[in-house]
Amino acid sequence: MRSLLEGRGQILLAYASAIILLIATSFVSPGFLSESNLRLTVILAAFIGIVSIGQTFVVIGAGIDLSIPWVLNCAAVTMAMLAGGQDGNLAWVVPLVLFGGMAVGIFNGIGVAIAGVPPIIMTLATNVILQGVILVFTGGRPTPPTPEFITYLAVGRIGPVPVLGLIWLVLAVVATFVLSRTVFGRQLYAVGDNAEVARYSGVPTVRTTIATYVISGFTAALAGILLTGYSGQAYLGMGDAYLFTSVAAVAIGGASILGGTGTYVGTVAGALILTILNGLLPALNLSSGALQVVYGLVILVTVAASGETVQRIGQVLFRKRPRPQRGE
């Protein structure tokens, strides 16, 4: 019960921080709270939020997915090239691209859960492989323009509400339900807390771990498709910005990078905070490099503040050393 209350406290703090940042930014940039700018903020936050769905699942399971940037990029480029700018091709192109993202997730999951490769090494290697694959596939050629329907999903609106915001809302509800109300969600928290204990308790740890990377591959591919609609064209490197934003959003939302804790409700707050910060820093005449510093500090502080890390440091600093015996 105590951990549950602490988790809710972290989530409330994250949302309070988002509101404070929003108000502060409105003072620095008076037009920030306009309807059009708030709509743009939701759209930009949605891209981070959708990518971070999979990262949330992976991090709760005590892993990390560093292949997100080029899963996203491969999905965007593949969709654009196969669709050829035609809406009629999307009926088979989009499922194919999403399946491709899930296949990458299976590859990552097998490497981590069965082959025993550390998540950082496995997913980083996958990221590099995908980068090479897409460079060979495209030959550096520009992709066709984005189909109109994908553009509508990314920047269209129903009344004042952006369509992408509604898509994000549906995905957020599904992710929250899976984590909080399903057997898989309970098993995932158990694996993240202690995989060995979970295994002896009958939890299918291998299957659960692989499933988290499949979810991450799916959401990264989906974000790539939608991001192409926002930018109007797929281009190499468009996913690079989402490497640390996905991790930072999860960390800001109260999840432990070491696994076992976290909620997607908190991650939503993290995505909003990062998006507002992205609008605040230019208003303060700070470069994008400052934002990267913020991401790094958020991840560093979050890991350092985790209970397990503090406990380990305490054991090292304050452990009792045996007294020397006489004659030694």
Side-chain angles (χ1 to χ4, degrees):
M1 178 64 68
R2 181 180 177 184
S3 62
L4 179 61
L5 293 175
E6 289 175 351
R8 289 180 178 177
Q10 289 175 329
I11 294 172
L12 290 175
L13 179 61
Y15 278 98
S17 300
I19 294 172
I20 292 171
L21 274 175
L22 189 64
I23 296 173
T25 305
S26 68
F27 282 110
V28 177
S29 179
F32 194 79
L33 290 181
S34 65
E35 180 181 331
S36 59
N37 199 72
L38 288 177
R39 189 182 303 116
L40 178 61
T41 300
V42 170
I43 290 173
L44 295 177
F47 290 121
I48 299 175
I50 293 173
V51 168
S52 299
I53 292 174
Q55 193 74 272
T56 300
F57 278 78
V58 172
V59 168
I60 290 174
I64 193 167
D65 190 354
L66 302 184
S67 67
I68 282 176
W70 281 89
V71 173
L72 186 155
N73 214 150
C74 284
V77 171
T78 303
M79 186 279 297
M81 295 190 72
L82 294 180
Q86 303 299 317
D87 287 343
N89 294 328
L90 294 176
W92 64 271
V93 170
V94 170
L96 179 64
V97 171
L98 293 177
F99 178 78
M102 295 169 67
V104 174
I106 293 174
F107 178 71
N108 281 332
I110 290 175
V112 172
I114 298 178
V117 181
I120 291 179
I121 302 300
M122 184 67 207
T123 56
L124 187 59
T126 300
N127 196 59
V128 175
I129 292 170
L130 291 175
Q131 184 176 2
V133 167
I134 206 66
L135 286 172
V136 172
F137 178 61
T138 62
R141 300 186 305 274
T143 62
T146 306
E148 292 183 4
F149 181 69
I150 300 298
T151 301
Y152 170 74
L153 294 179
V155 299
R157 58 180 179 173
I158 300 175
V161 181
V163 175
L164 185 58
L166 295 176
I167 294 173
W168 185 23
L169 177 62
V170 171
L171 293 173
V173 170
V174 172
T176 301
F177 177 80
V178 171
L179 286 174
S180 61
R181 300 294 181 181
T182 65
V183 174
F184 172 76
R186 292 192 292 270
Q187 292 174 340
L188 178 58
Y189 282 105
V191 170
D193 187 53
N194 192 314
E196 196 66 25
V197 172
R199 184 181 300 110
Y200 285 119
S201 301
V203 174
T205 55
V206 171
R207 186 174 65 193
T208 302
T209 299
I210 293 176
T212 63
Y213 286 98
V214 171
I215 294 170
S216 185
F218 175 85
T219 56
L222 177 61
I225 293 172
L226 295 171
L227 187 60
T228 306
Y230 177 78
S231 61
Q233 190 175 30
Y235 56 91
L236 299 181
M238 65 189 301
D240 291 346
Y242 295 93
L243 175 57
F244 287 113
T245 54
S246 62
V247 178
V250 174
I252 292 172
S256 170
I257 301 296
L258 301 176
T261 62
T263 64
Y264 186 67
V265 174
T267 300
V268 170
L272 292 171
I273 287 174
L274 292 176
T275 305
I276 296 169
L277 276 175
N278 204 13
L280 174 62
L281 294 182
L284 297 175
N285 294 322
L286 297 175
S287 67
S288 59
L291 193 61
Q292 299 300 320
V293 172
V294 172
Y295 294 160
L297 288 176
V298 165
I299 296 170
L300 181 63
V301 171
T302 304
V303 175
S306 67
E308 186 175 340
T309 302
V310 173
Q311 183 179 3
R312 289 178 180 175
I313 294 174
Q315 290 174 347
V316 172
L317 294 179
F318 304 110
R319 65 184 178 186
K320 295 182 179 180
R321 291 179 173 80
R323 296 179 179 180
Q325 302 295 323
R326 291 182 179 181
E328 292 185 356

